[in-house]
Structure formats: C-alpha cells, structure tokens
Amino acid sequence: MNLTGMVYRPPYEANSLLLQVTLGCSHNKCTFCSMYPDVIFTVCPMEQIEADLEEAAQVWPGVERVFLEHGDAFVLSADKLTQIAAAIHNKLPKVKTIAMYASIQNIKHKTDAELRRLSDLGIGGLDIGVESGLDAALTYMNKGHTAAEAKEQLLRLTKAGITYSFNAILGCGGADLWQENADATAELINAVQPHLLFIGSLHAQPGCKLYDDMKTGVFKECTIGQLLDEQERLISRLELKDTIYFGSHPSNIVPMQALLPKHKDEMLAIVRQTREHLREKLEDHPVRGGEGSILSR
Ligand code: SF4
C-alpha cells in the first residue's frame, strides 16, 4: 500500500482505510498551514490506486469506510471520483462511506447532478476546513472562499445528501476580532446546520506565514481568556437541531465532545468553570507543542 509524504486524517477516521488518490493539497496556501510545504500537488494514476485496492482487499476485505488522501481529494473531477468509487466498491464490496478532505472551492466546481451522483456512490463524511464565518478572518487566512460562498456550497452538499464536518478554528480573528469571529461563525453554522462540528484552536508551526506573523506581532494571538470567551460566545449563539460537537482537538483549552442542542448548558458551564479555574492565567497565551497541543495553560 503506497502512502507517500506526511499523512493526515481526521481523528474520527482512525478505523478507516486510508487510500492515496492525490499527493499534497491543490490550494496549499492557507496562512496557518504547514502540512504540505514542498509537495507539488499530483493526482495519482488509476493503476496505482487499483494496485493499492487489490492489496487492501487481501488484508482488509471487510473494511466499511475509506478515507481518500491527501489534503483536498474532493478537488478531483466528479468523473475521476466516480471511477475511484467504482474501483473501491468493486474490490471492497462492504464499503459504505468514502470520505475525504474537501474545500469550499472543490464543491463549487461540481454541478448539483454530479454531487447527487457522488452521494449515490457513497461519497460523504467530507471534512471541510471552513474555519470561520468572518470574511476578514477568511481573507487573512487565505482560505480562498468567503462566508457567503461557504454557506451556498454547504447547502448544496446537504441538498445532494452529502454529509460533512464543518471545521471551525477558535482564535481565527485574533485578539482584535474574537467577538466578531464568534458571532459570524455561529451565524454561518446555524445557517447550514452541519451534521458534525469540529472545533480546533488557532496555532502555527514553523514554516507558515502565520507563525512568522505571530512572532513579529503582525497577527495578535488570542490569550487563554479570549479563547475561552470566544468559545463561550460561539456555543451560546449556536442554534442547532442535531449536531455532534467534536472539540477534542489537542489545541483546545477546553476539549469536549457533546451533542447540540442537548448538552449546550453543560458545555457552557464547563467553559465558565475552566475560566474560573484559570483566572490567574487568562492574560497569558497557551504554551503549545506539536499540532498545537496545549503543554501548559
Ligand atoms: S486547504 Fe487544508 S491542506 Fe490545503 S493549505 Fe489549506 S489547510 Fe492546508
């Protein structure tokens, strides 16, 4: 099985077969990203994908979920994804879901009929870095989409029957715009009603623009207190009908998993208790390790 370069996957894909269909990310210029710094985006040839599927069929014939690598495999044309899905179902007949990372731009380039066809082939569980509902934050983060575009494209996915995770980043607006970021992001989330909400907190590794901007003060990172305030403000503004809140990313000051709206009051109570517990450190910045993990708060 070929897996080239650094391999990332969402935490909830731990039991999925990782199948490489692309190398790198077609966008590769988000301000905070250092995932594929020197990787030239490449589409893997069908022969390689089929050889990997042949191998997977030998060692894991009962696998039910496949995650397509790398950074935004949904950039592939609907025809190419159809070809890959057909090959997966042919070699691994128990597969129910074919998930992958996707961007808002990736959706935009597919018609409604193509999205429905991909949904019928089991493509779903897309993992989408929307990051924020605030255009100022999206522009600085160089995401390549606006909040209005995100809303339009995510609603198209839902209409086509494709589920997805809405990934949002606390602290995306920095110390100056944390309130605006919370309000605009909550508004966008409410408008699209995602099945899954994946919350992380802003962090940067050496090798990306954000890391340099944080060092020089061009970007003012949120303090621990501001991150907690933003999280409380975001949760309090969420009006969701049936969403899984997955906030266990190691970058979060308060990791939590919950169901919304069911656990909303408990979630807010936990954030407030944490603020009280950390009252001596609210003006500090978290000390972070790899992948933004909190080493000290
Ligand atoms: S779309 Fe994802 S992988 Fe690509 S640059 Fe942005 S954060 Fe990195």
Side-chain angles (χ1 to χ4, degrees), residues 202-243:
L202 192 67
H203 57 274
Q205 307 285 329
C208 70
K209 181 178 185 310
L210 179 62
Y211 182 86
D212 298 336
D213 284 357
M214 280 179 170
K215 287 267 177 226
T216 56
V218 169
F219 183 90
K220 281 191 241 152
E221 187 186 0
C222 286
T223 61
I224 290 172
Q226 286 167 332
L227 285 169
L228 289 169
D229 289 347
E230 183 173 338
Q231 187 173 12
E232 181 183 0
R233 193 171 173 114
L234 174 80
I235 295 170
S236 67
R237 279 162 173 69
L238 290 177
E239 290 172 11
L240 296 168
K241 293 180 190 129
D242 186 16
T243 295

Side-chain angles (χ1 to χ4, degrees), residues 2 38 46 52 58 76 112 137 140 187 189 203 208 230 275 284:
N2 282 299
D38 302 316
M46 253 344 264
D52 285 348
Q58 303 299 317
L76 294 175
D112 288 346
Y140 171 72
E187 188 180 330
I189 294 167
H203 57 274
C208 70
E230 183 173 338
R275 188 192 294 111
D284 298 347

Side-chain angles (χ1 to χ4, degrees), residues 23-242:
L23 192 62
C25 165
S26 72
H27 180 60
N28 212 20
K29 38 187 192 223
C30 294
T31 306
F32 57 86
C33 182
S34 46
M35 288 163 81
Y36 307 105
D38 302 316
V39 181
I40 296 169
F41 178 76
T42 314
V43 178
C44 299
M46 253 344 264
E47 302 76 53
Q48 179 194 312
I49 296 168
E50 278 167 355
D52 285 348
L53 284 169
E54 183 67 47
E55 195 181 332
Q58 303 299 317
V59 296
W60 201 358
V63 65
E64 294 188 354
R65 189 172 172 109
V66 176
F67 187 81
L68 303 183
E69 293 286 346
H70 268 163
D72 66 338
F74 202 61
V75 73
L76 294 175
S77 69
D79 285 349
K80 177 85 179 185
L81 285 169
T82 299
Q83 205 182 358
I84 291 169
I88 290 170
H89 292 307
N90 180 35
K91 294 287 179 196
L92 300 166
K94 298 257 179 355
V95 167
K96 294 184 181 128
T97 307
I98 302 168
M100 68 202 88
Y101 288 120
S103 74
I104 297 299
Q105 290 299 332
N106 297 164
I107 308 165
K108 197 173 175 179
H109 294 132
K110 293 176 178 65
T111 66
D112 288 346
E114 286 174 336
L115 291 176
R116 276 195 302 276
R117 190 200 331 152
L118 296 175
S119 174
D120 290 345
L121 286 164
I123 287 179
L126 301 184
D127 197 273
I128 306 175
V130 186
E131 325 303 11
S132 170
L134 185 68
D135 281 338
L138 291 169
T139 301
Y140 171 72
M141 295 301 168
N142 205 14
K143 285 302 301 180
H145 64 254
T146 63
E149 284 173 325
K151 179 178 168 185
E152 183 184 352
Q153 299 310 322
L154 294 174
L155 289 174
R156 286 184 65 229
L157 275 192
T158 301
K159 199 169 150 209
I162 296 180
T163 58
Y164 62 87
S165 164
F166 183 123
N167 300 352
I169 304 180
L170 297 171
C172 230
D176 294 331
L177 293 174
W178 66 265
Q179 297 179 69
E180 290 83 350
N181 193 50
D183 294 357
T185 305
E187 188 180 330
L188 178 57
I189 294 167
N190 290 340
V192 298
Q193 297 284 319
H195 162 69
L196 183 66
L197 182 56
F198 185 9
I199 300 286
S201 300
L202 192 67
H203 57 274
Q205 307 285 329
C208 70
K209 181 178 185 310
L210 179 62
Y211 182 86
D212 298 336
D213 284 357
M214 280 179 170
K215 287 267 177 226
T216 56
V218 169
F219 183 90
K220 281 191 241 152
E221 187 186 0
C222 286
T223 61
I224 290 172
Q226 286 167 332
L227 285 169
L228 289 169
D229 289 347
E230 183 173 338
Q231 187 173 12
E232 181 183 0
R233 193 171 173 114
L234 174 80
I235 295 170
S236 67
R237 279 162 173 69
L238 290 177
E239 290 172 11
L240 296 168
K241 293 180 190 129
D242 186 16

